[in-house]
Amino acid sequence: MEYYFNKTITGEFEEVIEKVTDELEKEGFGVLTEINVTETLKKKLDIDFKKYRILGACNAPYAHKALKAEDKIGTMLPCNVIVQEMGNGKIEVAAVNPMASMQAVKNKDLEQVATEIGDKLKQVIARL
């Protein structure tokens, strides 16, 4: 089982970020955090790195279900989605596969939540 879902598309980096955010919203996700890896590596290590952003997406009703089923599951939240520049106008978008990460947690109640969240993230990626 792959630990992510991904798709490579053509576009401008910031426009892809906006489109991903819009598609996440259509599936009930909000972006709680945004980590600009490019800026962070430049600031902390003086390294030039390709455009790379991590979006921490959360679907509150599903997060609540997961937390009720397993109170330590917060260590695996939010669902991360990356957007990275691949060159030649290509941008890759990848989202975590929650089923892959939930395998380590032996809790049947979480399986349904992870399956439904995975389906939603697959839809986001498919619509790009």
Side-chain angles (χ1 to χ4, degrees):
M1 174 184 304
E2 291 287 337
Y3 66 93
Y4 61 90
F5 313 115
N6 71 321
K7 186 174 190 178
T8 301
I9 61 176
T10 303
E12 294 295 322
F13 190 81
E14 293 302 326
E15 290 173 6
V16 172
I17 294 283
E18 287 178 30
K19 183 167 177 122
V20 170
T21 301
D22 290 345
E23 293 299 334
L24 285 166
E25 287 176 6
K26 290 177 186 174
E27 292 295 332
F29 292 89
V31 175
L32 301 179
T33 60
E34 188 171 321
I35 301 169
N36 187 326
V37 174
T38 309
E39 285 181 4
T40 301
L41 291 176
K42 185 64 175 174
K43 181 179 176 182
K44 301 286 185 181
L45 303 174
D46 196 28
I47 292 173
D48 293 320
F49 194 71
K50 64 184 173 183
K51 292 179 182 177
Y52 192 110
R53 198 98 37 98
I54 303 170
L55 307 176
C58 181
N59 182 305
Y62 282 94
H64 182 242
K65 285 182 190 178
L67 289 164
K68 285 190 339 188
E70 183 77 36
D71 67 347
K72 309 300 183 290
I73 206 64
T75 60
M76 297 182 178
L77 299 178
C79 296
N80 283 332
V81 178
I82 65 163
V83 180
Q84 66 173 320
E85 188 175 55
M86 303 303 288
N88 297 326
K90 302 289 185 192
I91 309 289
E92 180 186 28
V93 180
V96 67
N97 178 350
M99 282 301 291
S101 57
M102 295 301 158
Q103 286 182 29
V105 182
K106 307 291 188 235
N107 183 324
K108 286 286 186 194
D109 294 334
L110 282 177
E111 276 186 38
Q112 185 62 33
V113 174
T115 297
E116 292 175 22
I117 287 293
D119 290 344
K120 289 179 171 297
L121 290 170
K122 284 179 192 173
Q123 287 301 313
V124 168
I125 299 294
R127 287 195 303 263
L128 296 175

